[in-house]
Amino acid sequence: MSLSDADAEESVFSGQNDQLVSGKDLEQPTLTNSGDEDEFSDEEDDEEPALRYKRLGGNVHALFEKDTASTLTASERFLVLGTHWGNVIIIDFEGNEVKKWRAHSTTVNSVSVDIDNEYVASAGDDGRVVVHGLYTDDVTIVNYSRPVKAVALDPYYSRKASRRFVSGGTAGQLIMYEKKWFGKSDSILFTSAGPIQTIRWQENLIVWACDEGVQIYNTDQGTRISQIARPEGSPRPDLYTCRLHWKDSHTLLIGWANFVQVVVLKERAQQQSPALGFTGTGNDSRPLLYAEVSVMYRTDFIVCGLALYRDNFLVFTYGDHQMIEGITAEDDTQIPREEQQHRMRNAPPPELRMIDRNIEEVSSDVLPLEGFQLLQPNDYGLAYCAAHSSSASAKSPRPENEFDDNNAGAQTNEADTWFILSPKQLVSV
């Protein structure tokens, strides 16, 4: 795939022009049966595909007969689904239901799991955040009265008496909930002019998206360390969900509408005072860490999820250059209602694209997921599951084979896997 120099803009990537990534004349893979597994393949391509796809079986289909998925997250031991009927469902990597409970009276917008796989949090349009213990009857319910769009557990929730989590929604406030010696406490960490969209918590860093851009907060210092502004020319922030992915504690991937950014967290240069033996930044009011956008490029598709695969970007996408050309940075109300309805009834299938560090597209697979013609970008999701780590399990106080009476949680993921979510289907990559 060649890049369009005519659409190049100001660069933040290795001193080169900001690039426009596109994919055209791509062949659509067909769905074939391979034994008991369904796989996506390209019948006209004799080369081994870069990625292998498998539809999750088990009883996922039965789960979706009367309900639809609204959100997904993955741990190294299981998947957590939220649904539009307010259910939270734990399933294994083959699609078998392990546990299920009704947490909300309406749509579940976000789910989160702690690092020990012992607690699951959910946030819903009913204004509630529910934290549910998987091995105990421990349940925490907090009602914020207005729809809650995102929640993230402290990664070490099960190990700390503080039982912290952060949440946010249409009220525009990022709220830290924690237990203290005198009782429970809600602290407002940030107030936005618009809703809090997405939250991710990695080690001591919390990142979230709102109208002002992507914010990063250091829990050790108790301060916001950076704001990554939305790129110039971006569509309205509420139109498309911001996708956030921590590669590690110092590298953050951001996909928002038709822009992709890679943010690297760096330490400020310290100053040493030999006489006093003091090391500091020279200005104690400044955070020790700061964020730097190392890569940014504009695409001709909407980002529905992203991660890294080896040295490449793995981007789950929706739409094409014609759709992007119809998006304005201000408002979509200029589009006639008939045209909007036509687009909603004739949506294109999503694609999974692999893009290298030179911002060249390596591969692209069209995924004809069930009912894609009626789905929009915010209906899709991508969850990353790292390969099972024995060292991580050793740190967990919970034995591997103790999940429920049937030991269903004993299954672990042996390789890095990505899970693609649509309202009626789950596909592993």
Side-chain angles (χ1 to χ4, degrees):
M1 182 207 69
S2 61
L3 298 174
S4 174
D5 294 331
D7 293 302
E9 297 178 348
E10 183 180 355
S11 170
V12 290
F13 178 74
S14 301
Q16 302 299 318
N17 284 335
D18 182 21
Q19 305 288 7
L20 172 67
V21 178
S22 63
K24 302 178 178 64
D25 301 325
L26 299 172
E27 296 179 349
Q28 178 172 315
T30 57
L31 186 63
T32 61
N33 292 326
S34 176
D36 295 330
E37 299 178 349
D38 288 337
E39 296 184 351
F40 291 100
S41 64
D42 194 337
E43 293 178 346
E44 298 182 10
D45 193 348
D46 295 332
E47 296 182 3
E48 182 71 18
L51 300 170
R52 303 290 295 179
Y53 303 87
K54 183 180 75 171
R55 285 178 175 170
L56 267 64
N59 57 347
V60 164
H61 181 72
L63 293 173
F64 290 160
E65 284 183 351
K66 297 183 178 180
D67 203 351
T68 54
S70 55
T71 186
L72 172 72
T73 193
S75 77
E76 66 174 23
R77 295 183 60 195
F78 50 78
L79 304 175
V80 183
L81 277 173
T83 77
H84 285 287
W85 278 19
N87 293 312
V88 176
I89 308 171
I90 310 295
I91 62 175
D92 64 22
F93 298 125
E94 298 300 321
N96 301 299
E97 179 184 324
V98 177
K99 209 176 187 73
K100 177 181 178 181
W101 62 91
R102 182 79 181 275
H104 303 271
S105 59
T106 184
T107 299
V108 180
N109 295 312
S110 175
V111 287
S112 176
V113 185
D114 71 321
I115 198 171
D116 292 324
N117 304 302
E118 294 197 19
Y119 286 87
V120 171
S122 59
D125 274 345
D126 58 0
R128 303 202 313 172
V129 172
V130 179
V131 183
H132 198 287
L134 297 180
Y135 307 100
T136 69
D137 295 329
D138 185 10
V139 178
T140 299
I141 302 175
V142 184
N143 196 328
Y144 291 108
S145 300
R146 296 181 64 180
V148 183
K149 297 299 182 180
V151 66
L153 285 175
D154 182 337
Y156 301 100
Y157 183 93
S158 64
R159 307 183 194 182
K160 297 180 179 179
S162 60
R163 294 291 200 252
R164 297 185 300 176
F165 65 79
V166 287
S167 63
T170 58
Q173 296 177 331
L174 183 78
I175 300 174
M176 170 81 78
Y177 171 94
E178 61 183 321
K179 294 181 179 179
K180 299 183 178 180
W181 66 271
F182 54 83
K184 302 171 183 177
S185 171
D186 279 342
S187 303
I188 299 175
L189 304 184
F190 183 82
T191 300
S192 170
I196 304 295
Q197 278 200 18
T198 310
I199 308 173
R200 296 288 183 268
W201 192 332
Q202 173 82 7
E203 297 293 337
N204 63 335
L205 298 173
I206 302 172
V207 60
W208 68 94
C210 57
D211 281 11
E212 292 78 6
V214 174
Q215 318 290 326
I216 303 177
Y217 182 92
N218 189 317
T219 58
D220 290 343
Q221 296 179 329
T223 185
R224 185 163 55 103
I225 65 174
S226 189
Q227 172 177 297
I228 297 93
R230 296 171 58 247
E232 184 178 352
S234 297
R236 269 186 11 222
D238 59 316
L239 291 179
Y240 303 104
T241 300
C242 179
R243 314 293 178 155
L244 302 171
H245 174 70
W246 283 107
K247 174 183 177 292
D248 50 48
S249 58
H250 286 81
T251 309
L252 173 68
L253 276 62
I254 303 172
W256 204 342
N258 59 323
F259 284 89
V260 172
Q261 296 171 293
V262 178
V263 177
V264 178
L265 296 178
K266 299 182 178 181
E267 294 184 359
R268 295 189 185 277
Q270 295 183 333
Q271 298 176 355
Q272 181 74 33
S273 175
L276 299 177
F278 171 77
T279 301
T281 62
N283 184 349
D284 291 341
S285 65
R286 297 189 305 170
L288 295 177
L289 293 175
Y290 69 97
E292 179 178 283
V293 178
S294 63
V295 178
M296 183 176 76
Y297 59 89
R298 184 166 56 90
T299 73
D300 68 349
F301 46 73
I302 298 298
V303 177
C304 299
L306 76 168
L308 289 178
Y309 175 70
R310 299 174 180 169
D311 292 329
N312 300 319
F313 295 100
L314 196 63
V315 189
F316 186 37
T317 74
Y318 176 99
D320 55 20
H321 66 286
Q322 293 180 341
M323 174 185 173
I324 297 299
E325 289 172 358
I327 296 176
T328 63
E330 293 80 17
D331 204 336
D332 64 349
T333 56
Q334 301 174 7
I335 302 175
R337 183 175 179 82
E338 294 77 11
E339 176 63 20
Q340 294 184 37
Q341 293 177 343
H342 175 76
R343 293 181 182 182
M344 292 179 65
R345 291 192 299 267
N346 297 275
E351 301 179 34
L352 191 63
R353 305 173 191 253
M354 194 180 301
I355 300 169
D356 65 21
R357 292 304 182 102
N358 294 320
I359 320 302
E360 292 282 347
E361 189 165 282
V362 177
S363 66
S364 180
D365 296 325
V366 179
L367 307 181
L369 300 176
E370 182 178 345
F372 69 83
Q373 298 90 342
L374 300 176
L375 299 180
Q376 297 299 305
N378 293 349
D379 294 322
Y380 295 109
L382 180 71
Y384 169 66
C385 179
H388 173 67
S389 170
S390 58
S391 59
S393 299
K395 296 177 183 178
S396 173
R398 186 67 56 180
E400 277 293 319
N401 62 351
E402 186 181 344
F403 183 82
D404 63 6
D405 294 339
N406 297 320
N407 293 337
Q411 183 190 34
T412 57
N413 213 40
E414 300 302 327
D416 287 359
T417 308
W418 297 265
F419 293 91
I420 292 171
L421 173 73
S422 72
K424 288 287 188 180
Q425 205 165 48
L426 271 173
V427 175
S428 65
V429 183

